[in-house]
Amino acid sequence: MLKFQAGRKKRIFLIIVAVFFTVVLALLSRYVESHRELQFGFGSVILPASSFLGVVQAMKGLLCIIIVVLDYKRGRILTYLYMGGSIFFMLVGIISRGEMSSLPGIYNSIISIISIAIISSGLAKAEKRAVTDYLTGLKNRRGFSALLEKAIRDKKSFHVVYFEIENFRTINDNLGHKYGDVALKAVAEKLKEKEDEETVYVSRIGGAEFAAVVFEKIDPKPFAANVMEKIGTSVTNVDEGFDINIALSVYSGISSFPGDADNTDDLLKFADIAVYNARLQNSKERICFFNTDMKDRFYRQIELEKIVKDSLLRDYFYLVYQPQFRIEGKKLRGFETLLRLKQPDGTMVSPGEFIPVVEKSELIMKVDSYVLRRAVKEAKRLVDSCESNIVVSVNVSAKNISSPGFVDEVKSVLEFNHYPPECLEIEITEYSFAESKDLTIENVKELRKLGVQIALDDFGTGYTSLSQVMHLPINLLKIDKSLIDDIESNAMNRDFVDAIIYMGHLIKCEVICEGVENDEQLELLKAHECDFVQGFVWGRPLEYDNAIDLCKKEAS
Ligand code: C2E
Ligand code: MG
Ligand code: MG
């Protein structure tokens, strides 16, 4: 905003200078016209002063054009007034003196007026284009920001209401960009209906993000709810050859001036953060007001992304290996690799904190790829140190397991390390199936064909039912720690875990419980015929060398 105001001040200064020189030139030409006997000498050359009148006229025209270019709205009025005035005085001169020497000046001024009209209409069109979204005709981000900046300067209270269409990517991916554009235009039309010169302005911020500024008279929450209802109803446009009906799922976030921030960039960013939180909360309302907690979380997320990027570059990551045991006889089944991040100052950052953050961006692909390569390379020695077959599992995010290149990546890592595929297990969560079900199932099937094992992690925390699991090509169910935590005292969780183990076996899956911390839990799980356990009770995550030692101990 400061930058914007500085630019404005500079422009006003330049206009004043240009106007000053125009006036000086006008006075000069009037003086020369009334003193035609004046002469200038350049060495031996003597010229009448009137011979410079053409140059002065041209310079006046040029200055007028500069004024219009600097600020076409005000500049145009100023120059029209000036040119109009000049023409008037020249006509008076002609009539009163009865001589026609000012006639060329009149032509000159008329041509200047026409030139200025053409230039200013070109500038007006260019300015409109710069602040208008080409697809929807709504204000774009730049136009919207200018509007907010004006409201801030005028000290008017307002709310920025952001709208994000959640399923827009699916529309683009499944129906094509042409339909995506039609859907965006339809949303824009519905938003335009809400626009009102006094209190509401709407805009397309970019992609599938729209925004409105609503002034204090309007309560932003019911406004947002109403818009969301309008946008959310099905979109159809038969005119452009599309007769598909699709319901859009919309989230909204609200930031306020002057409460949340005093500048446009922050207000837009905070409204966006509020949308993101509305998505996280997953509440029925789907609307969220920005607050300072969100701001702190947001900056921590930015910091975490930077830490993760640095760690990939400078190799601050390493893996630890948490042992898994067969409950009957405590025989080592294998290890789950868990990522650790140690910063140069010794601070540890938990994967529980940074993984959910990087999972929202493409950064997770790099992290997962790093873990897969490092885990398989290190696991080769683990597998070789064990007498019996062990399995090393690697956590893979939903984005990665549903990506087209994932199976090839696994294949090439296995081949490069001469690693037996049956000793690798990929842990995925049920959200992988929620995000991109078909591609995930396809990839999982391919991996199973290679011989790689698949575990469904954190089972029991989401919405996947056992009947859904039955159709998924997995071979291990990992019951989440939250269900094990109070299994000794909570009969309902006990029965639930019992049922999962029983049903898991029915659908030919083995079952492991994670987060088992004490003997009581262990005994209960044994009684329920759980196959494996992973937890502090029998083994915390181990450094690589200690994991090798454990393998060797098992072998002896
Ligand atoms: P997860 O895959 O469910 O991993 C199990 C988590 O439970 C690990 O935490 C482990 O240390 C912890 N745990 C295991 N047994 C016990 C126990 O008896 N008591 C307690 N209190 N905790 C136990 P960690 O290492 O902090 O990892 C947290 C989550 O971070 C993981 O949950 C996983 O979702 C993610 N994560 C960890 N490493 C990776 C990785 O390499 N790639 C990806 N994509 N995610 C990872
Ligand atoms: Mg896991
Ligand atoms: Mg888990």
Side-chain angles (χ1 to χ4, degrees), residues 474-534:
I474 53 158
N475 47 305
L476 183 77
L477 276 184
K478 288 193 86 170
I479 301 182
D480 194 66
K481 179 178 181 301
S482 58
L483 289 174
I484 310 298
D485 276 345
D486 54 357
I487 194 171
E488 314 96 295
S489 52
N490 185 332
M492 211 161 84
N493 272 4
R494 202 158 53 231
D495 290 345
F496 189 41
V497 170
D498 187 32
I500 297 175
I501 297 171
Y502 180 77
M503 297 287 287
H505 288 160
L506 273 188
I507 59 168
K508 304 276 181 286
C509 267
E510 289 190 297
V511 181
I512 187 167
C513 286
E514 62 180 338
V516 182
E517 290 187 338
N518 59 51
D519 289 332
E520 223 179 325
Q521 293 170 342
L522 201 62
E523 284 312 313
L524 277 168
L525 294 173
K526 201 188 263 184
H528 291 318
E529 296 183 357
C530 177
D531 303 289
F532 309 108
V533 286
Q534 176 185 340

Side-chain angles (χ1 to χ4, degrees), residues 161 163 194 200 202 212 214 218-228:
V161 188
F163 300 100
K194 300 296 287 181
V200 180
V202 297
V214 300
I218 294 184
D219 188 345
K221 200 169 171 182
F223 170 82
N226 186 278
V227 171
M228 285 159 75

Side-chain angles (χ1 to χ4, degrees), residues 11 15 63-72 75 119 123:
R11 258 192 307 152
I15 290 172
L63 279 170
C64 286
I65 289 171
I66 291 174
I67 292 169
V68 172
V69 170
L70 285 170
D71 183 340
Y72 77 89
I119 292 171
L123 287 172

Side-chain angles (χ1 to χ4, degrees), residues 353-368:
E353 192 186 7
F354 69 77
I355 291 283
V357 172
V358 295
E359 264 177 345
K360 282 175 220 115
S361 71
E362 293 302 306
L363 201 51
I364 190 64
M365 309 294 269
K366 289 195 178 143
V367 173
D368 276 356

Side-chain angles (χ1 to χ4, degrees), residues 375-411:
V376 172
K377 188 173 163 210
E378 292 187 353
K380 180 79 172 92
R381 247 182 84 204
L382 277 178
V383 169
D384 291 344
S385 339
C386 269
E387 211 162 61
S388 54
N389 261 1
I390 57 158
V391 58
V392 174
S393 63
V394 175
N395 291 284
V396 170
S397 70
K399 258 204 182 89
N400 222 347
I401 190 73
S402 62
S403 78
F406 183 67
V407 178
D408 285 340
E409 189 182 3
V410 173
K411 232 191 264 178

Side-chain angles (χ1 to χ4, degrees), residues 336-338 393-395 427-429 457-458 478 514 534:
E336 174 178 11
T337 55
L338 294 163
S393 63
V394 175
N395 291 284
E427 283 191 21
I428 54 176
T429 64
D457 201 1
D458 304 340
K478 288 193 86 170
E514 62 180 338
Q534 176 185 340

